[in-house]
Amino acid sequence: MISPTRSRPAPTSGLRRATRLLWVVGAFLAASGAVNAQAFWASTDSGNSARAGADALQQAPTPEVALTGPSSVSIDFPRALTTSGREVTSYLVARYSSSVATTPSATFTCGWPSSSALVCSEADVPDGTWHYGVSARIAGSLWTGTEGGRSASVTVDTAAPAAPSTPDLAPASDTGASSIDNVTGTAAPTFTGTAEPDSTVKLYAGLVQVGNGVAAGGSYNIQVTKLADGQHTITATATDAAGNLSAASTGLTVTIDTAAPPAPSTPDLADASDTGISSVDNLTSDATPAFAGIAEDGSTVTIRRNGDPVGSGPASAGSYDVTVLTLGDGEHSITATAADVAGNVSSASGGLTVRVDTAAPAAPSVPDLAAESDTGSSATDNVTSALTPDFTGTAESGATVTVRVDGSPAGSTAAAGGSYGVTVSSLDQGAHTVTSVAADAAGNVSPASGGLVVTIDSVAPAAPAPAPDLAAGSDTGISDADQITNDTTPTFTSTGPANVEAGATVTLLSGGSPVGTASATGTGAYSVTASTLAETGHTITITATDLAGNTSEQSASLVVTVDTTAPLVTASVLAKPGGYLSGYVRQGGGYYIYANVTEALAGGVLSETADVSAVTPAGTAIALTSGSYSAGGVTYNYRSSTTQNAATPLGTGLKSYSIVSTDKAGNARTQPDWSVTVDNTAPAAAEINTTNKAGGTAGAAEAGDSITLRFTERIDPYSILSGWTGGPTGVVVHVVDGGGCVLFLLCQDDYVEIYDGANSSRLPFGTLDLNAVDYNGSSLLGLGTQADMVFGASGTASTMEQSGATITITLGTKNSGGNWTGSSTNFVWSPSTSPYDAAGNPLSSAAAGETGGGDSEF
């Protein structure tokens, strides 16, 4: 309900319109009878219808609105009168969706006023924000006046608000050492949080309400009633302006601890802060002195000046040392209190009277960046990568010098003998103005010195790219791309934009260790010569160090091989193709040159060239090719790619040749200490013999008996049987009945043949004639032929073995054929010319027989 107010006079133009309307109404009333007109005016005044012509409705007043329930609104306004002061008969109330809407969302009529102020209500108002306007009426809707101003907004809200956020212990109430442990020494702490704007928030400890407040702008700050020591679960609910109640928030567990620790000891001015002449007079020029004492371990000690806090710090192991805020000149009473982990504050300690004197000395010199902190390549550019650099200068002897960075203190020290050196706190990247001030023996601070501009740059440049390249002048190998050199101090260069900052120092690294430095040009190019590198592979990278001394990551790597040792031939022979024995050649014969070569660094051999001019007429440059070759049972890793022909004529004896070895780094070595034997003499058969095994039957061929063929020199076993090295190998021995006798004549045409182990190929021994009377036959008369006696085709194999110039064939199991015990004067051997000696000389065809007297053969 509002107090009535006087209506404003209607505008003149409105009055004229209203007057004309009254005349019309009056005329209408007169036409319908004076009784009605008199009745209308009698209800408001004792006048008559004549008064209607001089009367008019005024503009209705602006209503005031208020919620009277979740969806009920009261519309309050003073009653309206006509211009002549008569009551109106009713009011038209209109509800709008905004203060400027032209079409109402709803209208209704309020009846005749019963008092000086009218209260109209609207129920079941839909949710939303609404404005109301009022128009006065006379005679129902016959006469409606001008609508008054729009009301203030009123919001209808029937929806329950969202649950508030979990209450949070307000920083001012979180008296503990931690701002997140929810332990406090405040018995009636304050909690904060968020809730629906302007809703009423209630706080509960368990089920008990302990506080309430309004969420102004969506935030609340509520102090609760006193809580007992211990744990409490704090929740919150929100009730909006319409009375809607939210669900409870989640709970916050808070621990209340109000037991105070004992009072600390009386503070003592710390030695470092007692800048006066005496260490016991408590006189200092330090406007922010430190105080020490004893307090409960783990508590936070607050130093108070004249009762006001000026600094705090932890009590560790029962002791504290706290630097206070700036103290003014004069005497100060210093006390201390201790707050435990829960924030309970002790009573004050005893007091210490301290006097501060800050009369200023002369300004120090401009600070200078100390040499050890000037990490750049220049000692005068004041560019450094040190985040906590040292500064030096001069100041009043005994004064305490404080270095300031961009106006803020960053470190201090005493000026001993008129000089100081100060390490400052960590600085940000970029340029800083460094000044200094001096506090004299009494602690008085001077004006600031002139400024020194120092640039902090601790950001390393990007890694150079691409990888360094071996300079052409240092690449001594045949290829410019194999990165092999015999230069132990090679030079490395950039191959393109190296992403190196202009003027940066390029450091050459081998395996991560520095081996050389140089400066980059303005385009980022560089050329760095390494210190002596060992003979091995090296992983070469570079780093770039900028003017401030920051070093980049390593570049991509280049693998370079330093090789100063030429390849070494460890063994070499000349050997004929298709043979086993090596080290011999014959006049006009073909041969290969073999060599075993080692190189200090694998894969670095470029070429192997043999000079065999002593035996070859074709010249000296015989190239050897790498691979895997075998000669004389030895494996070699180099051999001439084609066979060479020995000179004709060529004298016999020992001939020397040399091999030149060159590696890819350009190292060359000539080794002349190799030789080959020239042998132009053909080997010949020396003798053939048979031998019975121990206890064997004389004149009968049986397993264990042997045939021995002796040559004038060793025969290459490969020429007898491909792949044979002279060791024991399986063969098959045939004793053949010639079958060529004439009836009644004694036959001497039996002979021996030697086959390979597969019994498929006859070995080239020539003819081995037994020279015996029908040794393998049916009778002495030679009637018909006898099947071959075969030894070693199955069962125990026959064997063949070479020892020097002798080849021995031992009979194995006899598989077939007869055995006539015969006799002869000599076993005759007519050799084949296929076998050859170590030099390749073919065997002579001259026959050989048994030495000594005749025997019974086997």
Side-chain angles (χ1 to χ4, degrees), residues 569 571-573 592-597 605-612 621-627 629 637-642 644 657-661:
V569 178
S572 178
V573 295
Y592 285 105
I593 307 162
Y594 294 84
N596 265 327
V597 182
V605 176
L606 177 65
S607 67
E608 294 291 323
T609 303
D611 177 358
V612 288
I622 307 300
L624 307 185
T625 304
S626 65
Y629 311 98
N637 58 3
Y638 277 86
R639 191 189 77 177
S640 55
S641 59
T642 59
Q644 307 299 311
Y657 65 95
S658 63
I659 297 178
V660 178
S661 304

Short mmCIF file of all heavy atoms in Angstrom, two decimals, residues 569 571-573 592-597 605-612 621-627 629 637-642 644 657-661:
data_model
loop_
_atom_site.label_atom_id
_atom_site.label_comp_id
_atom_site.label_asym_id
_atom_site.label_seq_id
_atom_site.Cartn_x
_atom_site.Cartn_y
_atom_site.Cartn_z
N VAL A 569 98.11 -55.27 -46.91
CA VAL A 569 97.99 -56.62 -47.47
C VAL A 569 98.67 -57.57 -46.50
O VAL A 569 99.88 -57.45 -46.23
CB VAL A 569 98.63 -56.70 -48.86
CG1 VAL A 569 98.53 -58.13 -49.40
CG2 VAL A 569 97.96 -55.73 -49.82
N ALA A 571 98.37 -61.07 -46.75
CA ALA A 571 98.77 -62.30 -47.43
C ALA A 571 98.47 -62.16 -48.91
O ALA A 571 97.51 -61.49 -49.29
CB ALA A 571 98.02 -63.50 -46.85
N SER A 572 99.31 -62.78 -49.75
CA SER A 572 99.07 -62.75 -51.19
C SER A 572 99.76 -63.93 -51.84
O SER A 572 100.85 -64.34 -51.42
CB SER A 572 99.60 -61.44 -51.79
OG SER A 572 99.41 -61.43 -53.20
N VAL A 573 99.09 -64.53 -52.83
CA VAL A 573 99.68 -65.61 -53.61
C VAL A 573 99.26 -65.45 -55.05
O VAL A 573 98.29 -64.75 -55.35
CB VAL A 573 99.23 -67.00 -53.10
CG1 VAL A 573 99.74 -67.27 -51.71
CG2 VAL A 573 97.72 -67.15 -53.19
N TYR A 592 95.71 -66.37 -61.30
CA TYR A 592 95.06 -65.27 -60.60
C TYR A 592 96.01 -64.72 -59.54
O TYR A 592 96.86 -65.44 -59.00
CB TYR A 592 93.78 -65.72 -59.89
CG TYR A 592 92.60 -65.97 -60.79
CD1 TYR A 592 92.21 -67.28 -61.08
CD2 TYR A 592 91.87 -64.92 -61.33
CE1 TYR A 592 91.11 -67.53 -61.89
CE2 TYR A 592 90.77 -65.16 -62.14
CZ TYR A 592 90.40 -66.47 -62.42
OH TYR A 592 89.31 -66.70 -63.22
N ILE A 593 95.82 -63.43 -59.24
CA ILE A 593 96.55 -62.81 -58.13
C ILE A 593 95.57 -62.70 -56.97
O ILE A 593 94.49 -62.11 -57.09
CB ILE A 593 97.06 -61.41 -58.50
CG1 ILE A 593 97.85 -61.47 -59.79
CG2 ILE A 593 97.87 -60.81 -57.37
CD1 ILE A 593 98.01 -60.11 -60.46
N TYR A 594 95.91 -63.27 -55.81
CA TYR A 594 95.06 -63.25 -54.62
C TYR A 594 95.71 -62.37 -53.55
O TYR A 594 96.94 -62.27 -53.47
CB TYR A 594 94.88 -64.66 -54.05
CG TYR A 594 94.11 -65.61 -54.96
CD1 TYR A 594 94.77 -66.31 -55.97
CD2 TYR A 594 92.76 -65.80 -54.78
CE1 TYR A 594 94.08 -67.18 -56.79
CE2 TYR A 594 92.05 -66.67 -55.60
CZ TYR A 594 92.71 -67.36 -56.60
OH TYR A 594 92.02 -68.23 -57.40
N ALA A 595 94.86 -61.75 -52.70
CA ALA A 595 95.39 -60.96 -51.59
C ALA A 595 94.35 -60.88 -50.48
O ALA A 595 93.14 -60.85 -50.73
CB ALA A 595 95.75 -59.54 -52.04
N ASN A 596 94.84 -60.87 -49.27
CA ASN A 596 94.02 -60.57 -48.10
C ASN A 596 94.38 -59.17 -47.62
O ASN A 596 95.56 -58.90 -47.32
CB ASN A 596 94.23 -61.58 -46.97
CG ASN A 596 93.19 -62.67 -47.01
OD1 ASN A 596 92.04 -62.43 -47.40
ND2 ASN A 596 93.57 -63.88 -46.60
N VAL A 597 93.39 -58.28 -47.59
CA VAL A 597 93.63 -56.87 -47.30
C VAL A 597 92.83 -56.47 -46.06
O VAL A 597 91.65 -56.79 -45.94
CB VAL A 597 93.21 -55.98 -48.49
CG1 VAL A 597 93.50 -54.51 -48.19
CG2 VAL A 597 93.92 -56.43 -49.76
N VAL A 605 88.38 -49.17 -48.41
CA VAL A 605 89.32 -49.49 -49.47
C VAL A 605 88.79 -48.97 -50.80
O VAL A 605 87.63 -49.20 -51.16
CB VAL A 605 89.57 -51.00 -49.57
CG1 VAL A 605 90.50 -51.31 -50.74
CG2 VAL A 605 90.18 -51.51 -48.26
N LEU A 606 89.65 -48.24 -51.51
CA LEU A 606 89.25 -47.73 -52.82
C LEU A 606 89.74 -48.67 -53.93
O LEU A 606 88.99 -49.05 -54.81
CB LEU A 606 89.81 -46.32 -53.04
CG LEU A 606 89.52 -45.72 -54.41
CD1 LEU A 606 88.03 -45.51 -54.59
CD2 LEU A 606 90.29 -44.42 -54.59
N SER A 607 91.03 -49.05 -53.88
CA SER A 607 91.56 -49.91 -54.94
C SER A 607 92.75 -50.71 -54.44
O SER A 607 93.44 -50.30 -53.51
CB SER A 607 91.98 -49.07 -56.16
OG SER A 607 93.09 -48.24 -55.83
N GLU A 608 92.94 -51.89 -55.10
CA GLU A 608 94.11 -52.73 -54.89
C GLU A 608 94.67 -53.03 -56.28
O GLU A 608 93.96 -53.56 -57.16
CB GLU A 608 93.73 -54.03 -54.17
CG GLU A 608 93.24 -53.85 -52.76
CD GLU A 608 94.35 -53.40 -51.83
OE1 GLU A 608 95.51 -53.86 -52.01
OE2 GLU A 608 94.06 -52.58 -50.92
N THR A 609 95.95 -52.68 -56.50
CA THR A 609 96.57 -52.85 -57.83
C THR A 609 97.88 -53.62 -57.66
O THR A 609 98.74 -53.23 -56.85
CB THR A 609 96.84 -51.49 -58.49
OG1 THR A 609 95.62 -50.77 -58.58
CG2 THR A 609 97.42 -51.69 -59.87
N ALA A 610 98.04 -54.70 -58.43
CA ALA A 610 99.24 -55.53 -58.32
C ALA A 610 100.22 -55.20 -59.45
O ALA A 610 99.82 -54.98 -60.60
CB ALA A 610 98.86 -57.00 -58.37
N ASP A 611 101.52 -55.14 -59.09
CA ASP A 611 102.58 -54.99 -60.08
C ASP A 611 103.27 -56.35 -60.20
O ASP A 611 104.07 -56.73 -59.36
CB ASP A 611 103.57 -53.92 -59.60
CG ASP A 611 104.75 -53.77 -60.55
OD1 ASP A 611 104.82 -54.52 -61.55
OD2 ASP A 611 105.58 -52.90 -60.28
N VAL A 612 102.92 -57.09 -61.26
CA VAL A 612 103.50 -58.43 -61.47
C VAL A 612 104.32 -58.44 -62.76
O VAL A 612 104.31 -59.40 -63.53
CB VAL A 612 102.37 -59.49 -61.51
CG1 VAL A 612 101.77 -59.71 -60.14
CG2 VAL A 612 101.29 -59.08 -62.51
N ALA A 621 99.72 -52.71 -63.90
CA ALA A 621 98.48 -52.29 -63.23
C ALA A 621 97.43 -53.38 -63.37
O ALA A 621 96.61 -53.38 -64.28
CB ALA A 621 97.96 -50.98 -63.81
N ILE A 622 97.49 -54.36 -62.47
CA ILE A 622 96.49 -55.43 -62.46
C ILE A 622 95.54 -55.15 -61.30
O ILE A 622 95.92 -55.24 -60.12
CB ILE A 622 97.15 -56.81 -62.28
CG1 ILE A 622 98.25 -57.01 -63.33
CG2 ILE A 622 96.09 -57.89 -62.34
CD1 ILE A 622 97.74 -56.94 -64.75
N ALA A 623 94.31 -54.76 -61.60
CA ALA A 623 93.35 -54.40 -60.55
C ALA A 623 92.82 -55.65 -59.87
O ALA A 623 92.53 -56.65 -60.53
CB ALA A 623 92.19 -53.60 -61.16
N LEU A 624 92.71 -55.56 -58.55
CA LEU A 624 92.12 -56.64 -57.76
C LEU A 624 90.71 -56.23 -57.35
O LEU A 624 90.43 -55.07 -57.06
CB LEU A 624 92.96 -56.93 -56.52
CG LEU A 624 94.45 -57.22 -56.78
CD1 LEU A 624 95.13 -57.61 -55.47
CD2 LEU A 624 94.62 -58.31 -57.83
N THR A 625 89.81 -57.21 -57.30
CA THR A 625 88.40 -56.96 -56.98
C THR A 625 88.06 -57.65 -55.67
O THR A 625 88.48 -58.79 -55.41
CB THR A 625 87.50 -57.51 -58.11
OG1 THR A 625 87.90 -56.92 -59.34
CG2 THR A 625 86.04 -57.18 -57.83
N SER A 626 87.27 -56.96 -54.85
CA SER A 626 86.90 -57.53 -53.55
C SER A 626 85.86 -58.63 -53.74
O SER A 626 85.09 -58.63 -54.69
CB SER A 626 86.34 -56.44 -52.63
OG SER A 626 85.14 -55.92 -53.15
N GLY A 627 85.87 -59.56 -52.83
CA GLY A 627 84.94 -60.68 -52.86
C GLY A 627 85.40 -61.74 -51.89
O GLY A 627 86.10 -61.44 -50.91
N TYR A 629 87.30 -65.42 -52.08
CA TYR A 629 87.97 -66.34 -53.01
C TYR A 629 88.81 -67.32 -52.20
O TYR A 629 89.25 -67.02 -51.08
CB TYR A 629 88.86 -65.56 -53.97
CG TYR A 629 88.17 -64.38 -54.63
CD1 TYR A 629 88.35 -63.09 -54.13
CD2 TYR A 629 87.34 -64.56 -55.73
CE1 TYR A 629 87.72 -62.00 -54.72
CE2 TYR A 629 86.71 -63.48 -56.33
CZ TYR A 629 86.90 -62.19 -55.81
OH TYR A 629 86.28 -61.13 -56.40
N ASN A 637 90.15 -61.96 -49.66
CA ASN A 637 89.06 -61.01 -49.93
C ASN A 637 89.31 -60.16 -51.18
O ASN A 637 88.48 -59.31 -51.51
CB ASN A 637 88.78 -60.12 -48.72
CG ASN A 637 89.98 -59.32 -48.27
OD1 ASN A 637 91.04 -59.38 -48.89
ND2 ASN A 637 89.85 -58.57 -47.17
N TYR A 638 90.44 -60.40 -51.86
CA TYR A 638 90.68 -59.70 -53.14
C TYR A 638 91.30 -60.69 -54.11
O TYR A 638 92.07 -61.59 -53.73
CB TYR A 638 91.62 -58.50 -52.95
CG TYR A 638 90.89 -57.26 -52.48
CD1 TYR A 638 90.66 -57.06 -51.11
CD2 TYR A 638 90.41 -56.31 -53.38
CE1 TYR A 638 89.97 -55.94 -50.67
CE2 TYR A 638 89.73 -55.19 -52.94
CZ TYR A 638 89.51 -55.01 -51.59
OH TYR A 638 88.83 -53.90 -51.16
N ARG A 639 90.97 -60.48 -55.42
CA ARG A 639 91.54 -61.31 -56.47
C ARG A 639 91.44 -60.54 -57.78
O ARG A 639 90.55 -59.70 -57.97
CB ARG A 639 90.77 -62.64 -56.60
CG ARG A 639 91.45 -63.67 -57.49
CD ARG A 639 90.55 -64.85 -57.75
NE ARG A 639 89.53 -64.52 -58.74
CZ ARG A 639 88.65 -65.40 -59.21
NH1 ARG A 639 88.64 -66.65 -58.75
NH2 ARG A 639 87.78 -65.04 -60.12
N SER A 640 92.39 -60.81 -58.70
CA SER A 640 92.29 -60.19 -60.03
C SER A 640 91.00 -60.69 -60.68
O SER A 640 90.60 -61.84 -60.51
CB SER A 640 93.50 -60.55 -60.88
OG SER A 640 93.66 -61.96 -60.96
N SER A 641 90.33 -59.80 -61.38
CA SER A 641 89.03 -60.16 -61.95
C SER A 641 89.17 -61.13 -63.13
O SER A 641 88.23 -61.86 -63.44
CB SER A 641 88.29 -58.89 -62.40
OG SER A 641 89.06 -58.18 -63.35
N THR A 642 90.32 -61.14 -63.78
CA THR A 642 90.56 -62.06 -64.90
C THR A 642 91.89 -62.77 -64.69
O THR A 642 92.75 -62.29 -63.94
CB THR A 642 90.58 -61.33 -66.25
OG1 THR A 642 91.63 -60.34 -66.23
CG2 THR A 642 89.25 -60.64 -66.52
N GLN A 644 95.62 -63.94 -65.60
CA GLN A 644 96.77 -63.32 -66.26
C GLN A 644 97.63 -64.43 -66.86
O GLN A 644 97.66 -65.56 -66.35
CB GLN A 644 97.57 -62.50 -65.24
CG GLN A 644 96.75 -61.48 -64.45
CD GLN A 644 96.10 -60.45 -65.33
OE1 GLN A 644 96.77 -59.85 -66.19
NE2 GLN A 644 94.80 -60.25 -65.15
N TYR A 657 106.87 -59.54 -56.66
CA TYR A 657 105.86 -58.61 -57.18
C TYR A 657 105.37 -57.75 -56.01
O TYR A 657 105.67 -58.03 -54.84
CB TYR A 657 104.69 -59.37 -57.82
CG TYR A 657 103.87 -60.24 -56.87
CD1 TYR A 657 102.70 -59.74 -56.28
CD2 TYR A 657 104.24 -61.56 -56.61
CE1 TYR A 657 101.95 -60.54 -55.44
CE2 TYR A 657 103.50 -62.35 -55.76
CZ TYR A 657 102.34 -61.84 -55.16
OH TYR A 657 101.60 -62.61 -54.32
N SER A 658 104.65 -56.68 -56.34
CA SER A 658 104.18 -55.75 -55.30
C SER A 658 102.69 -55.47 -55.51
O SER A 658 102.14 -55.69 -56.58
CB SER A 658 104.96 -54.44 -55.32
OG SER A 658 104.76 -53.78 -56.55
N ILE A 659 102.05 -54.97 -54.43
CA ILE A 659 100.64 -54.58 -54.47
C ILE A 659 100.51 -53.18 -53.88
O ILE A 659 101.05 -52.89 -52.81
CB ILE A 659 99.75 -55.56 -53.69
CG1 ILE A 659 99.83 -56.95 -54.32
CG2 ILE A 659 98.31 -55.07 -53.63
CD1 ILE A 659 99.03 -58.00 -53.58
N VAL A 660 99.84 -52.30 -54.62
CA VAL A 660 99.58 -50.93 -54.16
C VAL A 660 98.14 -50.88 -53.64
O VAL A 660 97.19 -51.16 -54.37
CB VAL A 660 99.78 -49.90 -55.28
CG1 VAL A 660 99.45 -48.49 -54.77
CG2 VAL A 660 101.21 -49.97 -55.80
N SER A 661 97.99 -50.50 -52.36
CA SER A 661 96.66 -50.42 -51.73
C SER A 661 96.30 -48.96 -51.52
O SER A 661 97.08 -48.19 -50.94
CB SER A 661 96.67 -51.13 -50.38
OG SER A 661 97.11 -52.46 -50.52
#
